[in-house]
Amino acid sequence: MAGKTLNYFAGGNTARGFHSLFDSNLQGLDRLFILKGGPGTGKSSLMKAIGAELSEKGYDLEYIHCSSDNHSIDGVIIPALKAGIVDGTAPHVIEPQAPGAVDEYINLGEAWDSKALAGKKEEITSLASQISSSFATAYETFAEALKIHDEWEKIYIENMNFQKADELTKKLIQTFYRNMKLNKTPSVKHRYLGAATPTGAVDFVPNLTEDIQKRYFIKGRPGSGKSTMLKKLAAEAENRGFDIEIYHCGFDPHSLDMIIVRELGLAIFDSTAPHEYFPSRDGDEIIDMYDITINSGTDEIYAEQIKDISTRYKNKMSEAISYLARAKSLHDELEEIYVDAMDFEAVERIKENIRSELLLISEKV
């Protein structure tokens, strides 16, 4: 039977620039292959191929998806083997913690024709510059969208009953954790619930919560206390020794969108756009922050102001996504140059070396 696959993002195109959460997901690995090489050198394909084979052998996998390319992955982790393979090129530069002993650089650049690439130097440099500029403009535009979002939040914050928000949080802490406390150091993984990609917002909520028995769908408005409550629930889980997955907002990494405590079979997440879901299984429950914490009639009183803010925010977000799409298009052109200069038989040999070592590790586990 094939193993189960968990999908998530560990890097995000955010209002605060590219923001990496890779480190916490690589903790505890005894073997990590860090792939180096330009676009089109086969990093994602290599990881997918090895992952597919190990999955067929029954190993559970974690696929770290690329927020800048919907069809690529940035890493594959095999928890049972305490091993992984990651793309260590910019912008998610990953430095070895124990070179040779745990981490090993794999240079796929060894498989390209340097002379062929030298002849394309000006084109490569131009495309790289345009890609960098497109990302910079996207991040600036996301930052502008965040300022508009802050206007939105301000309306609800000024009409919020903080006492009721605190009471709700305390009630959930008691419901979730009761008097339980585990005598161990918890595993804490920081990830993204979703990401802004060249095709728009993408998330993996259904996959991440597939095996969760109890799911809480938080409904509400910007500024209604969703992230603050999640931070308090996450801190309580960690203090009590529970392993926890903390999912940050792909737009603003300072905010949280979801926590999962698999030892308790529960997940609680912000279920508003762009990752809006509704109960579909027995045990699913809605928590309406607007109904519980916001003064009645706030939506109606500020309807015109909210409509204006919402329109400006959505337009700015669409504009930012367009710059990500442009960066992707330019990246595709750059990839073609490298693909034409690659010796994929050499890449295949590199893949086989990594595969062989992972299979050797599996024999010892």
Side-chain angles (χ1 to χ4, degrees):
M1 181 185 289
K4 293 181 179 179
T5 301
L6 208 62
N7 298 283
Y8 57 86
F9 295 96
N13 297 307
T14 81
R16 304 180 192 279
F18 181 84
H19 193 84
S20 176
L21 297 173
F22 269 79
D23 286 351
S24 79
N25 294 287
L26 304 180
Q27 290 177 3
L29 299 184
D30 293 335
R31 197 74 173 102
L32 179 64
F33 299 94
I34 304 172
L35 304 181
K36 293 289 187 178
T41 52
K43 299 184 295 293
S44 179
S45 296
L46 181 154
M47 291 186 283
K48 286 180 179 178
I50 291 176
E53 181 176 349
L54 289 169
S55 176
E56 285 301 313
K57 291 181 180 294
Y59 286 100
D60 292 345
L61 302 177
E62 294 177 9
Y63 277 131
I64 303 175
H65 289 254
C66 176
S67 57
S68 300
D69 183 347
N70 301 68
H71 302 296
S72 292
I73 61 170
D74 283 339
V76 58
I77 295 174
I78 312 96
L81 302 184
K82 292 187 177 181
I85 314 168
V86 291
D87 181 346
T89 54
H92 34 75
V93 178
I94 297 166
E95 297 298 335
Q97 301 300 311
V102 175
D103 310 299
E104 180 180 347
Y105 274 131
I106 305 293
N107 183 15
L108 294 178
E110 295 175 359
W112 64 43
D113 184 340
S114 297
K115 290 182 180 178
L117 291 175
K120 298 276 189 176
K121 181 180 178 181
E122 287 188 13
E123 190 176 351
I124 290 171
T125 302
S126 174
L127 284 169
S129 176
Q130 292 178 71
I131 291 168
S132 178
S133 176
S134 295
F135 275 119
T137 307
Y139 299 148
E140 289 170 7
T141 311
F142 279 131
E144 291 171 11
L146 182 59
K147 289 179 181 178
I148 297 172
H149 197 270
D150 288 343
E151 294 179 42
W152 206 345
E153 287 191 343
K154 187 172 183 288
I155 292 172
Y156 292 101
I157 289 171
E158 290 177 348
N159 287 275
M160 183 173 176
N161 186 321
F162 288 95
Q163 182 179 340
K164 287 185 177 179
D166 287 341
E167 289 172 357
L168 173 61
T169 302
K170 290 175 182 176
K171 178 183 175 182
L172 290 176
I173 286 173
Q174 179 58 32
T175 300
F176 291 175
Y177 312 125
R178 299 185 181 85
N179 296 319
M180 295 182 286
K181 189 166 185 177
L182 304 182
N183 186 25
K184 66 177 176 65
T185 301
S187 165
V188 181
K189 305 289 188 184
H190 289 270
R191 300 164 175 166
Y192 286 104
L193 176 144
T197 80
T199 61
V202 174
D203 71 74
F204 295 109
V205 170
N207 168 260
L208 292 168
T209 64
E210 185 177 16
D211 295 331
I212 298 298
Q213 290 79 43
K214 185 70 178 179
R215 302 188 301 176
Y216 294 86
F217 297 64
I218 309 174
K219 301 294 181 180
R221 310 290 189 275
S224 57
K226 300 185 297 292
S227 175
T228 299
M229 183 173 73
L230 286 171
K231 287 177 181 178
K232 291 178 179 178
L233 292 171
E236 189 69 25
E238 187 175 352
N239 288 338
R240 290 170 181 254
F242 290 105
D243 297 341
I244 185 167
E245 298 164 26
I246 300 174
Y247 291 86
H248 295 246
C249 171
F251 172 55
D252 180 4
H254 292 179
S255 292
L256 299 188
D257 275 347
M258 176 167 70
I259 64 170
I260 297 178
V261 186
R262 294 191 186 274
E263 288 166 316
L264 296 176
L266 72 86
I268 177 168
F269 63 98
D270 181 341
S271 185
T272 57
H275 34 78
E276 186 174 23
Y277 292 91
F278 295 92
S280 60
R281 306 196 314 236
D282 290 343
D284 287 351
E285 187 173 327
I286 286 178
I287 298 173
D288 191 333
M289 298 294 285
Y290 179 82
D291 184 54
I292 298 171
T293 68
I294 303 298
N295 294 336
S296 179
T298 297
D299 278 351
E300 291 74 19
I301 294 169
Y302 296 91
E304 286 301 315
Q305 192 175 341
I306 291 169
K307 182 180 178 181
D308 171 65
I309 292 171
S310 173
T311 300
R312 287 189 288 122
Y313 172 72
K314 288 176 182 176
N315 289 342
K316 194 59 70 173
M317 289 296 286
S318 294
E319 183 185 344
I321 293 295
S322 74
Y323 291 116
L324 293 183
R326 173 163 172 72
K328 172 64 169 61
S329 178
L330 292 164
H331 191 271
D332 289 345
E333 291 183 43
L334 189 58
E335 276 194 344
E336 289 180 13
I337 296 173
Y338 279 88
V339 168
D340 289 341
M342 287 296 292
D343 176 359
F344 284 101
E345 288 185 3
V347 175
E348 191 66 26
R349 289 193 292 272
I350 292 171
K351 184 187 84 174
E352 184 57 33
N353 288 339
I354 298 174
R355 172 185 172 277
S356 297
E357 184 168 339
L358 290 172
L359 291 176
L360 193 62
I361 293 171
S362 71
E363 293 172 5
K364 297 177 181 177
V365 174

